[in-house]
Amino acid sequence: ARTEHVLKVLKPALMREAIVICDRFSDSTLVYQGLAHGKDVDLLRSIHQFCFADLRPDITFVLDVPPEQGLLRAETRTKKQNSESRFEEKGLSFHKSVRDGFLKLAKSEPDRFVIVDARGTAEETDKLVRKHILKRLQEQGASNLQKLEL
């Protein structure tokens, strides 16, 4: 599924020099399938490198929230939407490992990762993310940023 997504969506968009926003990518794989489960992260990186060469996000946002709060939010959301909760059923210990994994990755690449305090409302978190995106685009000399203005 990821290969198809990369080949049919991401690469064509990047060839057009579009800004691409994904809600998950290789960092999520490293954390969820690697660090949180104690699996070989180097093997996961090798697979990603083999399949996608140097395709990596320019910026990765870690929406940081205490696992207890995140699980409570997820429980509320799954009840409201009557949806599946596959990851939420893994329990607090797993979610602490996930958070620790993302924070570890962020520490290893501080120029690429931005840790966003997501304990507030969705609107507050959105505003923080937009602020970081706008700042990064301005640093890169992007113009015509009206749509991102806060």
Side-chain angles (χ1 to χ4, degrees):
R2 177 146 318 140
T3 300
E4 183 176 2
H5 181 66
V6 167
L7 294 176
K8 292 185 176 181
V9 178
L10 298 184
K11 285 199 173 189
L14 293 171
M15 294 299 290
R16 293 189 316 271
E17 297 184 2
I19 294 174
V20 176
I21 300 174
C22 295
D23 63 346
R24 289 173 191 83
F25 196 59
S26 56
D27 298 316
S28 294
T29 301
L30 291 179
V31 172
Y32 280 93
Q33 278 71 42
L35 296 168
H37 281 108
K39 302 293 182 193
D40 188 346
V41 173
D42 290 331
L43 175 62
L44 292 170
R45 282 188 173 118
S46 295
I47 292 169
H48 180 85
Q49 178 66 26
F50 175 77
C51 294
F52 310 121
D54 291 328
L55 186 61
R56 292 174 7 127
D58 293 320
I59 185 169
T60 297
F61 291 97
V62 175
L63 304 182
D64 188 29
V65 64
E68 298 84 357
Q69 184 179 356
L71 283 170
L72 187 61
R73 286 178 180 177
E75 182 181 323
T76 302
R77 183 177 56 248
T78 55
K79 284 180 183 175
K80 188 176 185 180
Q81 297 173 350
N82 195 23
S83 61
E84 195 176 314
S85 61
R86 182 173 55 127
F87 281 111
E88 288 75 13
E89 292 172 358
K90 292 186 178 276
L92 184 59
S93 177
F94 173 77
H95 289 278
K96 285 182 178 180
S97 295
V98 167
R99 181 179 187 233
D100 291 344
F102 275 111
L103 295 176
K104 181 178 179 180
L105 282 182
K107 186 176 181 180
S108 73
E109 294 184 64
D111 292 338
R112 183 166 67 88
F113 281 85
V114 176
I115 300 171
V116 176
D117 182 348
R119 292 175 294 174
T121 66
E123 293 78 17
E124 291 167 336
T125 302
D126 178 66
K127 197 171 196 172
L128 290 171
V129 170
R130 285 174 180 264
K131 177 180 151 189
H132 286 287
I133 291 172
L134 188 60
K135 179 181 176 205
R136 180 67 63 99
L137 290 172
Q138 287 171 334
E139 288 171 355
Q140 294 177 355
S143 59
N144 196 13
L145 300 174
Q146 302 88 305
K147 292 181 182 179
L148 284 176
E149 295 291 339
L150 300 176

